[in-house]
C-alpha cells in the first residue's frame, strides 16, 4: 500500500514537473516569437531606411556629378587649359565656368591644370578674378588627390577632403578634363561636408547610424567625422578608416564584404546582416549607387531603436502564461484521479508479467475504458504465456537448422572460391606475359584488369618468321562465363593463325569467326546467350618496318608524341563494325601503318572506354582516351602504364568497375 502511494506521488510530481516544463517552454517560445518578430521588423526597417537614404542621396549628388561632367566636356574649358596664357580663351572659359557655378548646389567650382599646376576656385564669398588661388605641388601631401586622380583612368572620383589652402572641407567631385587621350586637368565642384552630413547622414532615429563607404569599404561619410577616410576617393590609403576597421570580428568583415559585393551586383537591393559595431551587435544593410560608386550603409541597434513596442507582447505573454497554468493545474488533477491511479495498478501487473509471473492480480473490473484495458491486459497475459512457450520450442529448432545451414554454406563457399582461384591461375597461364617480356622487354606494357577474379578479356602474342603477331580479344560476358569463352576464343584464334597465316590479320579474324560459329553450333539460329567477341590483331613485319592491322570493333591507336604534352598527334585505324560471332557476318580489312622508331601503338578493349566515373557517372570515352595518349606518348612505356592506371583510377573514383579492362601498348625502336 505504501509502495502504491509512493508510485502515485511520484507520478503526480512527474506530471506536475512536466506541466511546469511546458509552461517554461511556452514562455521561452513566446519570448523567442517576440524576438523573431522584432528581428523581422528590424530587418525590414533597416532595408527600407537604407533604400530611402539611397534615393535621398542619389538625386542631388548625381545632379552635381552630371553638371561636373558637362563642365569637363566644355570646349571653352578644354581650349583654355591647352593654352592657359591666352586671355581671350581664359575669359571664355571662366565665363562658362561661372554659368555652371550658379547651377551647382554649393555655388562653387574649381579648375586645376595638369600643364601649369594652377588651381582656380570660385564661390559666392570669393569669386574668381582670373588668377589661380594657389599652385599644386607634387611634394605637398595636401595635393596628392590631384596626382592620384590624374593617374587613374576613371573619368571621375568623389573624394571627401579638407583643403587647408582654401580652409574648406567638402565632398569634392573631381572630373577629368581630356583632349582625346591627353589629360588636361580636373574640374568640378564640392558639397560642404557639414551640410552634406546634416542633410543626408544625420538622423533623429535612436539607435540608427547611416554612413557612406566606397567600393573598398573606406568611409566617405559618417555622423562622427573622425571615422571619415579623407582623400580615399582619390586613391589615398584609408589608413584603417574603413567599415572593416569598425567591425570587431573577422567573421563580421567577411559578411560585410559579401554584402557589399552582393549590393554591387544587384543595385537597388539590399540584404541585412548582423555584425558587432562599436561594441554592440547591430543589424546592417548596404545598397549600391553605381553612378557614384558608393555604398549607402545603415547600422541599426535593435536594442536601442524603436522597431517594436515590447510592452504589449509582454502583457500578452503574461496573460497566456497564466491561462496555460490554470488549464494545466486542472488537467493534472483530472489525470491523477481518473487515469494515473488505475494505470499504476496495471503497471505493477506488467512488471510481474515481465518477471515471468503470469498469474496476475489485476485491478477490479470497471465499466469504462480503464476496465476494458484491464480485461484486454489479462487476455494478453494469457496469450503471451502460451506464445512464449511455443516460441522457445520453435527458436531452439530453428537455431539448430540455421547452424547446420551455415556450416553447409561455408563449405560450399570455400569450394567455389577455391575453384575460381584455380580458374584464375589457369586463365593467367594462357596469357603470353613471358613471351612479351622476352621479345619486347621495356618496349611494352599490359594493363589487364578483370572485373571479377576471372574475366572475358585476354591478349595474344606469337613470334613468326620475320615478325610477330600481337592482339587483344574481348569475349562477351565476364566472370566465370567470360573466362570459359576465353578458352574457346584462344583455341579459335590459334587455329585461325595456323590456317590463315600470321601475316594476314583480316583473314585470321574471318577464320576465327568461322571456327567460333562451328564450335558453338550457332549457324542460322537464334541464340539466347551472347557468344560474340571483339578482337584487334597487329602483324609486325621487321623487314619492311610495317604493321598490318585488322579489327572487329577494336581500333588501333598510335602516336609519336610532340614537343609538349598537348602537341602530339594521335592516329587511329578503325576496326570492323561487327563482332566475331555476331548474327550477321562482318567484313574485316587489313590496314597498314609504318613502324617508325618513336611510334607507340595501343590496343584496348571497351572496358577502359566504357568505365563509368566523374561527377555524372559518364563513360571514360574515346576523346578522353585519345587525350591521355597524347599527354603520355613520349614517356617510357613502363611510366605510361602507371599513368594510364592512375588516370583511370582518378576518373573512376567510387564507381564500381563496369567490365573487364585490357590495354596492350608496344613500340619497336
Amino acid at each position: 500500500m505504501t509502495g502504491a502511494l509512493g508510485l502515485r506521488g511520484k507520478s503526480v510530481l512527474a506530471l506536475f514537473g512536466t506541466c511546469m516544463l511546458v509552461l517554461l517552454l511556452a514562455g521561452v517560445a513566446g519570448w523567442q516569437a517576440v524576438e523573431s518578430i522584432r528581428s523581422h521588423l528590424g530587418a525590414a526597417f533597416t532595408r527600407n531606411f537604407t533604400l530611402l537614404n539611397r534615393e535621398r542621396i542619389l538625386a542631388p549628388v548625381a545632379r552635381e556629378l552630371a553638371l561636373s561632367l558637362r563642365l569637363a566636356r566644355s570646349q571653352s574649358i578644354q581650349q583654355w587649359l591647352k593654352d592657359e596664357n591666352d586671355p581671350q580663351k581664359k575669359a571664355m572659359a571662366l565665363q562658362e565656368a561661372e554659368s555652371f557655378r550658379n547651377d551647382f548646389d554649393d555655388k562653387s567650382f574649381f579648375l586645376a591644370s595638369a600643364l601649369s599646376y594652377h588651381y582656380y576656385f570660385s564661390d559666392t564669398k570669393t569669386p574668381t578674378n582670373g588668377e589661380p588661388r594657389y599652385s599644386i605641388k607634387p611634394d605637398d601631401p595636401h595635393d596628392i588627390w590631384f596626382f592620384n586622380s590624374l593617374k587613374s583612368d576613371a573619368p571621375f572620383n568623389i573624394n571627401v577632403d579638407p583643403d587647408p589652402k582654401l580652409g574648406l572641407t567638402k565632398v569634392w567631385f573631381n572630373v577629368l578634363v581630356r583632349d582625346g587621350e591627353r589629360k588636361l586637368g580636373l574640374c568640378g565642384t564640392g558639397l560642404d561636408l557639414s551640410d552634406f552630413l546634416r542633410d543626408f547622414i544625420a538622423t533623429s532615429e535612436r539607435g540608427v547610424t547611416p554612413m557612406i563607404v566606397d567600393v573598398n569599404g573606406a568611409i566617405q561619410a559618417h555622423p562622427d567625422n573622425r571615422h571619415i577616410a579623407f582623400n580615399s576617393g582619390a586613391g589615398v590609403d584609408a589608413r584603417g578608416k574603413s567599415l572593416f576597421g569598425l567591425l570587431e570580428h573577422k567573421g563580421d568583415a567577411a559578411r560585410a564584404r559579401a554584402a557589399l559585393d552582393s549590393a554591387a551586383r544587384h543595385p537597388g537591393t539590399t540584404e541585412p546582416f548582423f555584425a558587432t559595431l562599436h561594441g554592440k551587435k547591430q543589424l546592417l544593410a548596404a545598397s549600391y549607387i553605381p553612378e557614384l560608386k558608393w555604398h549607402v550603409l545603415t547600422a541599426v541597434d535593435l536594442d536601442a531603436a524603436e522597431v517594436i513596442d515590447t510592452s504589449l507582447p509582454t502583457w500578452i505573454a503574461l496573460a497566456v502564461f497564466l491561462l496555460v497554468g490554470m488549464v494545466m493545474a486542472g488537467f493534472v488533477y483530472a489525470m491523477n484521479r481518473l487515469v494515473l491511479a488505475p494505470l499504476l495498478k496495471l503497471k505493477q501487473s506488467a512488471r510481474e508479467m515481465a518477471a515471468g509471473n503470469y498469474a496476475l492480480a489485476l485491478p477490479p473490473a470497471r465499466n469504462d475504458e480503464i476496465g476494458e484495458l484491464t480485461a484486454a491486459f489479462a487476455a494478453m497475459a494469457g496469450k503471451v504465456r502460451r506464445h512464449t512457450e511455443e516460441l522457445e520450442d520453435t527458436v531452439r529448432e530453428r537455431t539448430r537448422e540455421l547452424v547446420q545451414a551455415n556450416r553447409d554454406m561455408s563449405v560450399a563457399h570455400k569450394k567455389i572460391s577455391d575453384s575460381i582461384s584455380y580458374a584464375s591461375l589457369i586463365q593467367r597461364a594462357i596469357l603470353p606475359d613471358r613471351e612479351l617480356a622476352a621479345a619486347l622487354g621495356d618496349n611494352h606494357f599490359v594493363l589487364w584488369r578483370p572485373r571479377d577474379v576471372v574475366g572475358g578479356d585476354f591478349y595474344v602474342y606469337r613470334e613468326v618468321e620475320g615478325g610477330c603477331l600481337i592482339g587483344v580479344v574481348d569475349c562477351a560476358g565476364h566472370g566465370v562465363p567470360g573466362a570459359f569463352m576465353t578458352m574457346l576464343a584462344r583455341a579459335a584464334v590459334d587455329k585461325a593463325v595456323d590456317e590463315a597465316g600470321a601475316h594476314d590479320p583480316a583473314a585470321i579474324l574471318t577464320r576465327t569467326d568461322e571456327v567460333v560459329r562451328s564450335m558453338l553450333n550457332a549457324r542460322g539460329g537464334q541464340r539466347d546467350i551472347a557468344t560474340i567477341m571483339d578482337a584487334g590483331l597487329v602483324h609486325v613485319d621487321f623487314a619492311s618496318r610495317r604493321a598490318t592491322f585488322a579489327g572487329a570493333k577494336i581500333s588501333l591507336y598510335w602516336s609519336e608524341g610532340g614537343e609538349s604534352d598537348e602537341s602530339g598527334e594521335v592516329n587511329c585505324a578503325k576496326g570492323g563494325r561487327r563482332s566475331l560471332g555476331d548474327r550477321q557476318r562482318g567484313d574485316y580489312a587489313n590496314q597498314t601503318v609504318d613502324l617508325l622508331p618513336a611510334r607507340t601503338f595501343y590496343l584496348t578493349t571497351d572496358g577502359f572506354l566504357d568505365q563509368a566515373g566523374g561527377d555524372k557517372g559518364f563513360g571514360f570515352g574515346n576523346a578522353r582516351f585519345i587525350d591521355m595518349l597524347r599527354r603520355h606518348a613520349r614517356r617510357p612505356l613502363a611510366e605510361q602504364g602507371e599513368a594510364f592506371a592512375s588516370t583511370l583510377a582518378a576518373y573512376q573514383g567510387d564507381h564500381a568497375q563496369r567490365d573487364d579492362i585490357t590495354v596492350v601498348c608496344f613500340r619497336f625502336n
Side-chain angles (χ1 to χ4, degrees):
M1 183 68 180
T2 303
L5 290 175
L7 290 174
R8 180 182 299 180
K10 291 180 180 179
S11 300
V12 172
L13 289 176
L15 186 57
F16 180 76
T18 303
C19 293
M20 293 304 297
L21 179 60
V22 170
L23 290 174
L24 179 61
L25 292 177
V28 172
W31 180 255
Q32 289 180 344
V34 172
E35 287 297 309
S36 177
I37 294 173
R38 189 175 71 158
S39 297
H40 178 75
L41 294 179
F45 173 81
T46 306
R47 184 185 298 110
N48 294 335
F49 189 95
T50 303
L51 295 176
L52 178 61
N53 213 26
R54 175 185 184 274
E55 297 305 319
R56 291 177 58 238
I57 294 172
L58 175 60
V61 175
R63 175 183 177 277
E64 297 297 295
L65 177 60
L67 288 173
S68 299
L69 290 169
R70 286 179 53 195
L71 177 62
R73 290 192 293 267
S74 170
Q75 291 296 319
S76 59
I77 297 295
Q78 295 176 9
Q79 293 298 324
W80 174 52
L81 290 179
K82 289 190 288 185
D83 187 8
E84 195 174 345
N85 294 323
D86 188 318
Q88 184 177 359
K89 294 179 179 179
K90 182 176 185 178
M92 292 180 63
L94 293 179
Q95 183 180 3
E96 178 83 4
E98 282 294 323
S99 68
F100 273 86
R101 183 174 70 83
N102 294 324
D103 293 330
F104 285 129
D105 187 69
D106 201 46
K107 305 301 181 185
S108 66
F109 75 86
F110 76 89
L111 293 168
S113 172
L115 305 180
S116 65
Y117 292 166
H118 288 160
Y119 182 88
Y120 299 85
F121 179 80
S122 177
D123 59 7
T124 55
K125 295 181 179 179
T126 55
T128 182
N129 56 3
E131 297 299 324
R133 295 292 296 270
Y134 60 84
S135 293
I136 299 172
K137 299 177 181 179
D139 56 352
D140 190 340
H142 295 294
D143 295 335
I144 192 171
W145 64 271
F146 176 79
F147 298 99
N148 285 349
S149 299
L150 288 179
K151 291 178 184 178
S152 173
D153 290 330
F156 70 88
N157 65 69
I158 303 176
N159 186 38
V160 182
D161 179 36
D163 191 331
K165 300 174 184 177
L166 297 177
L168 300 173
T169 301
K170 290 178 176 287
V171 180
W172 298 99
F173 297 83
N174 302 323
V175 181
L176 194 62
V177 182
R178 290 178 175 269
D179 179 20
E181 295 299 322
R182 186 183 181 190
K183 299 177 180 179
L184 302 177
L186 299 174
C187 72
T189 185
L191 293 175
D192 183 82
L193 180 60
S194 299
D195 295 339
F196 183 82
L197 295 179
R198 182 189 66 246
D199 294 340
F200 303 117
I201 300 301
T203 178
S204 59
E205 296 285 350
R206 190 174 63 178
V208 179
T209 306
M211 65 184 81
I212 298 174
V213 301
D214 64 11
V215 293
N216 297 316
I219 298 175
Q220 306 299 305
H222 191 281
D224 186 352
N225 59 15
R226 293 176 300 175
H227 296 300
I228 297 176
F230 293 114
N231 256 335
S232 59
V236 177
D237 185 9
R239 299 183 182 277
K241 294 185 177 181
S242 68
L243 170 64
F244 310 115
L246 297 180
L247 301 176
E248 299 183 6
H249 302 298
K250 186 179 297 184
D252 294 343
R255 284 191 291 273
R257 181 73 271 173
L260 295 183
D261 293 341
S262 176
R265 289 192 300 269
H266 308 286
T269 63
T270 180
E271 189 64 33
F273 63 97
F274 281 100
T276 302
L277 184 70
H278 302 306
K280 295 182 179 179
K281 184 178 180 182
Q282 302 193 40
L283 188 64
L284 287 82
S287 182
Y288 185 61
I289 305 178
E291 297 86 350
L292 310 178
K293 297 181 176 59
W294 275 359
H295 287 277
V296 178
L297 202 73
T298 305
V300 178
D301 182 358
L302 296 181
D303 293 331
E306 296 181 354
V307 176
I308 184 174
D309 184 4
T310 57
S311 60
L312 180 60
T314 300
W315 283 109
I316 293 175
L318 181 59
V320 171
F321 185 81
L322 293 175
L323 179 61
V324 171
M326 294 173 63
V327 171
M328 293 304 296
F331 177 75
V332 168
Y333 176 77
M335 285 292 294
N336 179 63
R337 183 177 181 83
L338 300 176
V339 179
L340 284 180
L343 287 180
L344 284 174
K345 293 181 180 179
L346 285 178
K347 179 180 178 181
Q348 294 273 5
S349 301
R351 287 181 175 177
E352 292 292 329
M353 189 174 68
N357 179 17
Y358 298 102
L360 303 175
L362 296 174
R366 290 170 47 177
N367 295 324
D368 57 10
E369 289 79 2
I370 298 297
E372 293 177 359
L373 178 61
T374 302
F377 189 86
M380 180 190 69
K383 289 184 178 181
V384 168
R385 181 180 64 253
R386 293 191 298 273
H387 289 170
T388 300
E389 295 171 353
E390 296 173 359
L391 182 61
E392 289 176 351
D393 295 337
T394 303
V395 167
R396 281 192 293 269
E397 181 62 26
R398 293 291 185 270
T399 301
R400 284 194 298 270
E401 294 175 358
L402 288 173
V403 169
Q404 184 59 41
N406 186 53
R407 290 173 182 169
D408 296 341
M409 288 178 60
S410 297
V411 173
H413 182 267
K414 185 176 186 306
K415 290 180 179 179
I416 294 172
S417 298
D418 292 344
S419 297
I420 294 177
S421 299
Y422 186 58
S424 177
L425 292 175
I426 296 173
Q427 186 175 38
R428 287 181 178 274
I430 72 170
L431 300 177
D433 291 331
R434 287 182 295 179
E435 292 86 344
L436 279 169
L440 298 181
D442 293 337
N443 284 331
H444 88 288
F445 80 81
V446 176
L447 177 62
W448 185 70
R449 187 179 295 171
R451 196 197 76 168
D452 304 311
V453 179
V454 292
D457 285 7
F458 70 96
Y459 47 97
V460 298
Y461 174 80
R462 179 182 288 196
E463 290 187 3
V464 296
E465 183 178 356
C468 63
L469 181 69
I470 303 175
V472 295
V473 180
D474 180 4
C475 299
H478 34 70
V480 174
F484 275 110
M485 279 297 300
T486 63
M487 301 300 171
L488 295 177
R490 175 61 186 269
V493 171
D494 288 344
K495 182 176 178 62
V497 172
D498 293 338
E499 294 179 0
H503 65 283
D504 191 350
I508 295 173
L509 294 179
T510 301
R511 182 56 184 148
T512 301
D513 183 42
E514 296 172 353
V515 173
V516 169
R517 293 175 186 275
S518 174
M519 286 179 174
L520 297 174
N521 194 23
R523 292 189 184 91
Q526 180 74 22
R527 295 195 302 275
D528 295 330
I529 59 173
T531 57
I532 61 175
M533 299 184 301
D534 299 342
L537 299 175
V538 180
H539 174 260
V540 179
D541 190 330
F542 296 146
S544 64
R545 301 295 293 177
R546 307 277 286 184
T548 303
F549 166 75
K553 297 192 73 174
I554 287 183
S555 302
L556 174 68
Y557 301 87
W558 69 88
S559 176
E560 293 87 39
E563 295 300 326
S564 64
D565 290 345
E566 288 79 18
S567 64
E569 181 180 359
V570 177
N571 299 284
C572 175
K574 297 286 187 180
R577 298 176 59 186
R578 294 194 178 277
S579 303
L580 303 180
D582 202 348
R583 295 183 183 277
Q584 297 184 16
R585 296 179 184 272
D587 295 326
Y588 311 109
N590 289 325
Q591 303 177 62
T592 305
V593 183
D594 290 333
L595 203 66
L596 300 181
R599 180 167 289 173
T600 306
F601 295 88
Y602 306 89
L603 290 168
T604 181
T605 62
D606 58 3
F608 199 114
L609 304 177
D610 295 342
Q611 176 57 50
D615 296 334
K616 299 183 179 179
F618 293 157
F620 193 83
N622 283 305
R624 193 175 282 106
F625 183 77
I626 290 173
D627 182 64
M628 180 182 68
L629 300 185
R630 181 182 297 111
R631 287 187 283 110
H632 301 293
R634 292 177 61 87
R635 301 172 65 179
L637 268 65
E639 295 182 10
Q640 289 194 42
E642 295 175 359
F644 287 12
S646 61
T647 300
L648 179 63
Y651 181 78
Q652 179 178 348
D654 296 331
H655 294 271
Q657 184 172 331
R658 179 178 291 176
D659 197 0
D660 302 321
I661 295 173
T662 302
V663 179
V664 175
C665 171
F666 56 91
R667 179 189 298 162
F668 291 92
N669 294 330

